[in-house]
PDB file of all heavy atoms in Angstrom:
ATOM      1  N   ASN A  94    -129.859 -75.064  -6.229  1.00  0.00           N
ATOM      2  CA  ASN A  94    -128.614 -74.737  -5.541  1.00  0.00           C
ATOM      3  C   ASN A  94    -128.670 -73.406  -4.578  1.00  0.00           C
ATOM      4  O   ASN A  94    -127.642 -72.835  -4.275  1.00  0.00           O
ATOM      5  CB  ASN A  94    -127.492 -74.515  -6.592  1.00  0.00           C
ATOM      6  CG  ASN A  94    -127.039 -75.834  -7.153  1.00  0.00           C
ATOM      7  OD1 ASN A  94    -126.064 -76.469  -6.504  1.00  0.00           O
ATOM      8  ND2 ASN A  94    -127.539 -76.315  -8.205  1.00  0.00           N
ATOM      9  N   GLY A  95    -129.910 -73.072  -4.229  1.00  0.00           N
ATOM     10  CA  GLY A  95    -130.000 -72.054  -3.156  1.00  0.00           C
ATOM     11  C   GLY A  95    -130.144 -70.591  -3.725  1.00  0.00           C
ATOM     12  O   GLY A  95    -130.167 -69.595  -2.934  1.00  0.00           O
ATOM     13  N   ILE A  96    -130.291 -70.513  -5.114  1.00  0.00           N
ATOM     14  CA  ILE A  96    -130.287 -69.128  -5.629  1.00  0.00           C
ATOM     15  C   ILE A  96    -131.823 -68.731  -5.717  1.00  0.00           C
ATOM     16  O   ILE A  96    -132.653 -69.571  -6.365  1.00  0.00           O
ATOM     17  CB  ILE A  96    -129.695 -69.063  -7.017  1.00  0.00           C
ATOM     18  CG1 ILE A  96    -128.122 -69.331  -6.879  1.00  0.00           C
ATOM     19  CG2 ILE A  96    -129.857 -67.549  -7.543  1.00  0.00           C
ATOM     20  CD1 ILE A  96    -127.355 -68.452  -6.196  1.00  0.00           C
ATOM     21  N   LYS A  97    -132.179 -67.586  -5.320  1.00  0.00           N
ATOM     22  CA  LYS A  97    -133.622 -67.119  -5.419  1.00  0.00           C
ATOM     23  C   LYS A  97    -133.841 -66.447  -6.788  1.00  0.00           C
ATOM     24  O   LYS A  97    -133.274 -65.520  -7.116  1.00  0.00           O
ATOM     25  CB  LYS A  97    -133.993 -66.217  -4.335  1.00  0.00           C
ATOM     26  CG  LYS A  97    -134.101 -66.853  -2.906  1.00  0.00           C
ATOM     27  CD  LYS A  97    -134.341 -65.904  -1.878  1.00  0.00           C
ATOM     28  CE  LYS A  97    -134.278 -66.570  -0.477  1.00  0.00           C
ATOM     29  NZ  LYS A  97    -133.764 -65.686   0.531  1.00  0.00           N
ATOM     30  N   THR A  98    -134.900 -67.055  -7.500  1.00  0.00           N
ATOM     31  CA  THR A  98    -135.174 -66.524  -8.823  1.00  0.00           C
ATOM     32  C   THR A  98    -136.683 -66.225  -8.951  1.00  0.00           C
ATOM     33  O   THR A  98    -137.447 -66.532  -8.055  1.00  0.00           O
ATOM     34  CB  THR A  98    -134.814 -67.498  -9.964  1.00  0.00           C
ATOM     35  OG1 THR A  98    -135.883 -68.520 -10.031  1.00  0.00           O
ATOM     36  CG2 THR A  98    -133.462 -68.293  -9.579  1.00  0.00           C
ATOM     37  N   HIS A  99    -137.049 -65.538  -9.959  1.00  0.00           N
ATOM     38  CA  HIS A  99    -138.476 -65.180 -10.278  1.00  0.00           C
ATOM     39  C   HIS A  99    -139.167 -66.359 -10.829  1.00  0.00           C
ATOM     40  O   HIS A  99    -140.436 -66.172 -10.879  1.00  0.00           O
ATOM     41  CB  HIS A  99    -138.499 -63.967 -11.172  1.00  0.00           C
ATOM     42  CG  HIS A  99    -138.038 -64.171 -12.598  1.00  0.00           C
ATOM     43  ND1 HIS A  99    -138.461 -63.339 -13.621  1.00  0.00           N
ATOM     44  CD2 HIS A  99    -137.344 -65.064 -13.161  1.00  0.00           C
ATOM     45  CE1 HIS A  99    -137.974 -63.736 -14.790  1.00  0.00           C
ATOM     46  NE2 HIS A  99    -137.346 -64.868 -14.528  1.00  0.00           N
ATOM     47  N   PHE A 100    -138.515 -67.529 -11.190  1.00  0.00           N
ATOM     48  CA  PHE A 100    -139.267 -68.584 -11.808  1.00  0.00           C
ATOM     49  C   PHE A 100    -140.275 -69.210 -11.019  1.00  0.00           C
ATOM     50  O   PHE A 100    -140.087 -69.550  -9.786  1.00  0.00           O
ATOM     51  CB  PHE A 100    -138.121 -69.654 -12.206  1.00  0.00           C
ATOM     52  CG  PHE A 100    -138.700 -70.766 -12.921  1.00  0.00           C
ATOM     53  CD1 PHE A 100    -139.005 -70.660 -14.359  1.00  0.00           C
ATOM     54  CD2 PHE A 100    -138.942 -71.987 -12.233  1.00  0.00           C
ATOM     55  CE1 PHE A 100    -139.570 -71.832 -14.867  1.00  0.00           C
ATOM     56  CE2 PHE A 100    -139.361 -73.032 -12.900  1.00  0.00           C
ATOM     57  CZ  PHE A 100    -139.721 -72.953 -14.301  1.00  0.00           C
ATOM     58  N   ILE A 101    -141.349 -69.382 -11.595  1.00  0.00           N
ATOM     59  CA  ILE A 101    -142.483 -70.182 -10.808  1.00  0.00           C
ATOM     60  C   ILE A 101    -142.772 -71.457 -11.605  1.00  0.00           C
ATOM     61  O   ILE A 101    -142.545 -72.468 -11.063  1.00  0.00           O
ATOM     62  CB  ILE A 101    -143.867 -69.311 -10.736  1.00  0.00           C
ATOM     63  CG1 ILE A 101    -143.530 -68.014 -10.035  1.00  0.00           C
ATOM     64  CG2 ILE A 101    -144.936 -70.249 -10.061  1.00  0.00           C
ATOM     65  CD1 ILE A 101    -144.784 -67.072  -9.997  1.00  0.00           C
ATOM     66  N   LYS A 102    -143.111 -71.337 -12.872  1.00  0.00           N
ATOM     67  CA  LYS A 102    -143.258 -72.641 -13.669  1.00  0.00           C
ATOM     68  C   LYS A 102    -143.375 -72.313 -15.204  1.00  0.00           C
ATOM     69  O   LYS A 102    -143.639 -71.152 -15.528  1.00  0.00           O
ATOM     70  CB  LYS A 102    -144.552 -73.480 -13.107  1.00  0.00           C
ATOM     71  CG  LYS A 102    -145.788 -72.746 -13.382  1.00  0.00           C
ATOM     72  CD  LYS A 102    -147.044 -73.535 -13.005  1.00  0.00           C
ATOM     73  CE  LYS A 102    -148.298 -72.919 -13.003  1.00  0.00           C
ATOM     74  NZ  LYS A 102    -149.435 -73.501 -12.731  1.00  0.00           N
ATOM     75  N   THR A 103    -143.190 -73.321 -15.952  1.00  0.00           N
ATOM     76  CA  THR A 103    -143.350 -73.062 -17.432  1.00  0.00           C
ATOM     77  C   THR A 103    -144.764 -73.396 -17.774  1.00  0.00           C
ATOM     78  O   THR A 103    -145.360 -74.361 -17.323  1.00  0.00           O
ATOM     79  CB  THR A 103    -142.339 -74.089 -18.169  1.00  0.00           C
ATOM     80  OG1 THR A 103    -141.009 -73.813 -17.694  1.00  0.00           O
ATOM     81  CG2 THR A 103    -142.347 -73.856 -19.674  1.00  0.00           C
ATOM     82  N   ILE A 104    -145.401 -72.596 -18.544  1.00  0.00           N
ATOM     83  CA  ILE A 104    -146.789 -72.750 -18.965  1.00  0.00           C
ATOM     84  C   ILE A 104    -146.971 -73.519 -20.213  1.00  0.00           C
ATOM     85  O   ILE A 104    -147.796 -74.380 -20.240  1.00  0.00           O
ATOM     86  CB  ILE A 104    -147.420 -71.300 -18.917  1.00  0.00           C
ATOM     87  CG1 ILE A 104    -147.370 -70.504 -17.757  1.00  0.00           C
ATOM     88  CG2 ILE A 104    -148.828 -71.387 -19.560  1.00  0.00           C
ATOM     89  CD1 ILE A 104    -148.223 -71.066 -16.648  1.00  0.00           C
ATOM     90  N   ASP A 105    -146.243 -73.108 -21.194  1.00  0.00           N
ATOM     91  CA  ASP A 105    -146.221 -73.834 -22.403  1.00  0.00           C
ATOM     92  C   ASP A 105    -144.895 -73.745 -23.058  1.00  0.00           C
ATOM     93  O   ASP A 105    -143.931 -73.121 -22.505  1.00  0.00           O
ATOM     94  CB  ASP A 105    -147.457 -73.359 -23.369  1.00  0.00           C
ATOM     95  CG  ASP A 105    -147.256 -71.976 -23.785  1.00  0.00           C
ATOM     96  OD1 ASP A 105    -146.176 -71.440 -23.852  1.00  0.00           O
ATOM     97  OD2 ASP A 105    -148.338 -71.398 -23.992  1.00  0.00           O
ATOM     98  N   GLU A 106    -144.769 -74.112 -24.276  1.00  0.00           N
ATOM     99  CA  GLU A 106    -143.505 -74.160 -25.032  1.00  0.00           C
ATOM    100  C   GLU A 106    -142.751 -72.827 -24.935  1.00  0.00           C
ATOM    101  O   GLU A 106    -141.607 -72.734 -25.038  1.00  0.00           O
ATOM    102  CB  GLU A 106    -143.681 -74.611 -26.471  1.00  0.00           C
ATOM    103  CG  GLU A 106    -143.672 -76.054 -26.787  1.00  0.00           C
ATOM    104  CD  GLU A 106    -143.683 -76.486 -28.248  1.00  0.00           C
ATOM    105  OE1 GLU A 106    -144.312 -75.539 -29.058  1.00  0.00           O
ATOM    106  OE2 GLU A 106    -143.138 -77.442 -28.526  1.00  0.00           O
ATOM    107  N   ARG A 107    -143.481 -71.693 -25.009  1.00  0.00           N
ATOM    108  CA  ARG A 107    -142.876 -70.399 -25.197  1.00  0.00           C
ATOM    109  C   ARG A 107    -143.074 -69.443 -24.001  1.00  0.00           C
ATOM    110  O   ARG A 107    -142.705 -68.319 -24.043  1.00  0.00           O
ATOM    111  CB  ARG A 107    -143.317 -69.698 -26.370  1.00  0.00           C
ATOM    112  CG  ARG A 107    -142.708 -70.222 -27.713  1.00  0.00           C
ATOM    113  CD  ARG A 107    -143.409 -69.461 -28.809  1.00  0.00           C
ATOM    114  NE  ARG A 107    -142.902 -70.073 -30.102  1.00  0.00           N
ATOM    115  CZ  ARG A 107    -141.872 -69.598 -30.784  1.00  0.00           C
ATOM    116  NH1 ARG A 107    -141.199 -68.428 -30.367  1.00  0.00           N
ATOM    117  NH2 ARG A 107    -141.355 -70.131 -31.850  1.00  0.00           N
TER     118      ARG A 107
END
Side-chain angles (χ1 to χ4, degrees):
N94 284 276
I96 303 291
K97 290 180 185 140
T98 79
H99 69 161
F100 180 78
I101 300 172
K102 62 179 178 182
T103 304
I104 299 289
D105 62 34
E106 275 189 326
R107 285 176 181 269

